[in-house]
Amino acid sequence: MARVIVVTSGKGGVGKTTTTSNLGMSLARLGHNTLLLDADTGLRNLDLLLGLENRVFFTGSDVLNKKCKLEQAIIEDKRQPKLSFFPLCSIHGSNPSIIGEEVEELISMVSNKYDFILIDSPAGIDASFQNAIRMANEAIIVVTPEVSSIRDADRVIGILITHGIKNNKLLINRIRPKMIRNDEMMSMKDIQNILGLPIIGAIPESEQIIIASNRGEPIVLEKKLSAVGMAFENTARRLEGQEVAFLDLGNIEAKNLVRRVLCKFLVKKPKEIK
Ligand code: ADP
Ligand code: MG
């Protein structure tokens, strides 16, 4: 049976879909059969981040309405055959909603075929959030080091626990070490102390994420992994149960700064340390 993990947050726009696509691709690259389920029925964009938008013809809703077979709605990634994508319902059409029992039925149909099912959920206050968490036995709560994100995450953790999901971990996204050093941003330790949950991943702020998203290529597909790609891959390894130390993001940032200054004197375009 698959480990069913919901990727969620309190606040919107903190990086749930980015996390789902990169973690999913990493888990598949590590050899696990992985299914990514898009349960954010309002802002469905996991297909875009995976570059699979042109291959979505059917959805989970169509499977339940007997418009197609299950295999027709699940899309296998051509770059990584251990990764598949399953949109729950269409963003087009008059009634894109899907109810909790239906989500439950769909996940039951697929759970014995995969090692991991990652559910990209809407933020914790949206109506369809309850559907997304229904079949999950674990949760990754994505937070950014901002007070609003942390306060909202706290509420969501309370809801998850009320629904019996007790295996919860934090993924801190968009970390800027320089701001932490200057006391302008909360540190990982501060966030962990406030929310009282273990940290499974620490991802730096990176322009490369935006470029990768626009290309529809998860950043962990790069030939030579950047710091952010490595941070996602390390998160996948921790999910597997490996003990992996957190990257020294401050050190990577400092080395990039030195390189930029040197290149300015040499009038060369700086190359970021990967
Ligand atoms: P959510 O699914 O929580 O709404 P997304 O994954 O769609 O959030 O991310 C929201 C925006 O933030 C996107 O434009 C994405 O490219 C950007 N983003 C996410 N993580 C990072 C990061 N570590 N560094 C820079 N930009 C990021
Ligand atoms: Mg999203």
Side-chain angles (χ1 to χ4, degrees):
M1 289 294 262
R3 278 174 67 182
V4 183
I5 307 175
V6 63
V7 179
T8 191
S9 71
K11 196 169 179 257
V14 293
K16 293 177 294 296
T17 306
T18 305
T19 299
T20 310
S21 60
N22 282 290
L23 260 192
M25 186 60 88
S26 289
L27 286 168
R29 279 158 58 94
L30 291 171
H32 304 286
N33 275 325
T34 306
L35 181 71
L36 303 184
L37 206 116
D38 195 345
D40 191 348
T41 47
L43 294 170
R44 203 193 80 187
N45 51 16
L46 183 56
D47 54 342
L48 281 175
L49 264 66
L50 291 167
L52 298 175
E53 69 279 13
N54 293 331
R55 295 182 56 203
V56 177
F57 298 113
F58 297 109
T59 65
S61 223
D62 296 323
V63 176
L64 295 172
N65 293 326
K66 309 231 177 313
K67 287 192 187 153
C68 72
K69 291 192 186 133
L70 181 63
E71 304 76 59
Q72 288 175 288
I74 295 181
I75 303 164
E76 229 179 61
D77 192 302
K78 289 188 178 143
R79 300 159 295 194
Q80 174 45 260
K82 284 194 181 286
L83 184 76
S84 298
F85 170 64
F86 189 19
L88 274 192
C89 56
S90 167
I91 41 170
H92 310 294
S94 51
N95 183 16
S97 62
I98 187 159
I99 58 165
E101 285 84 8
E102 293 175 327
V103 178
E104 215 171 302
E105 198 182 333
L106 289 168
I107 295 184
S108 319
M109 284 177 184
V110 293
S111 65
N112 59 353
K113 297 189 180 126
Y114 296 92
D115 304 313
F116 284 92
I117 298 179
L118 300 188
I119 306 174
D120 185 19
S121 100
I125 35 167
D126 290 18
S128 47
F129 167 76
Q130 306 275 349
N131 293 343
I133 65 170
R134 213 177 154 107
M135 287 295 279
N137 25 58
E138 299 173 43
I140 293 177
I141 299 108
V142 182
V143 288
T144 53
E146 289 164 90
V147 179
S148 57
S149 159
I150 289 163
R151 190 186 55 193
D152 293 352
D154 197 29
R155 285 172 52 201
V156 164
I157 294 163
I159 302 174
L160 289 167
I161 293 172
T162 315
H163 283 78
I165 305 171
K166 298 196 176 102
N167 188 351
N168 301 327
K169 303 208 169 54
L170 300 174
L171 181 139
I172 306 175
N173 189 24
R174 307 193 82 149
I175 299 174
R176 295 199 214 176
K178 191 172 156 227
M179 288 183 75
I180 296 172
R181 274 198 306 277
N182 294 344
D183 258 345
E184 293 160 346
M185 188 176 254
M186 271 180 269
S187 70
M188 283 169 55
K189 211 166 176 194
D190 294 336
I191 299 172
Q192 185 166 23
N193 287 342
I194 297 170
L195 295 175
L197 289 180
I199 298 174
I200 189 97
I203 315 294
E205 168 82 24
S206 164
E207 275 178 15
Q208 288 155 296
I209 288 267
I210 298 162
I211 300 168
S213 306
N214 289 338
R215 286 193 188 138
E217 276 188 18
I219 200 147
V220 293
L221 280 178
E222 289 173 322
K223 276 208 185 84
K224 188 164 184 272
L225 282 187
S226 57
V228 66
M230 217 179 288
F232 275 120
E233 197 180 280
N234 286 350
T235 308
R237 289 185 192 278
R238 288 188 202 103
L239 260 188
E240 280 183 318
Q242 290 190 45
E243 270 192 34
V244 185
F246 287 93
L247 296 174
D248 183 353
L249 299 175
N251 193 23
I252 293 168
E253 197 179 59
K255 280 184 184 159
N256 277 332
L257 181 68
V258 171
R259 194 160 284 219
R260 243 173 273 150
V261 173
L262 281 176
C263 288
K264 205 168 173 184
F265 285 113
L266 299 170
V267 203
K268 265 173 78 178
K269 195 168 178 284
K271 237 175 143 184
E272 295 290 297
I273 291 178
K274 300 241 172 175

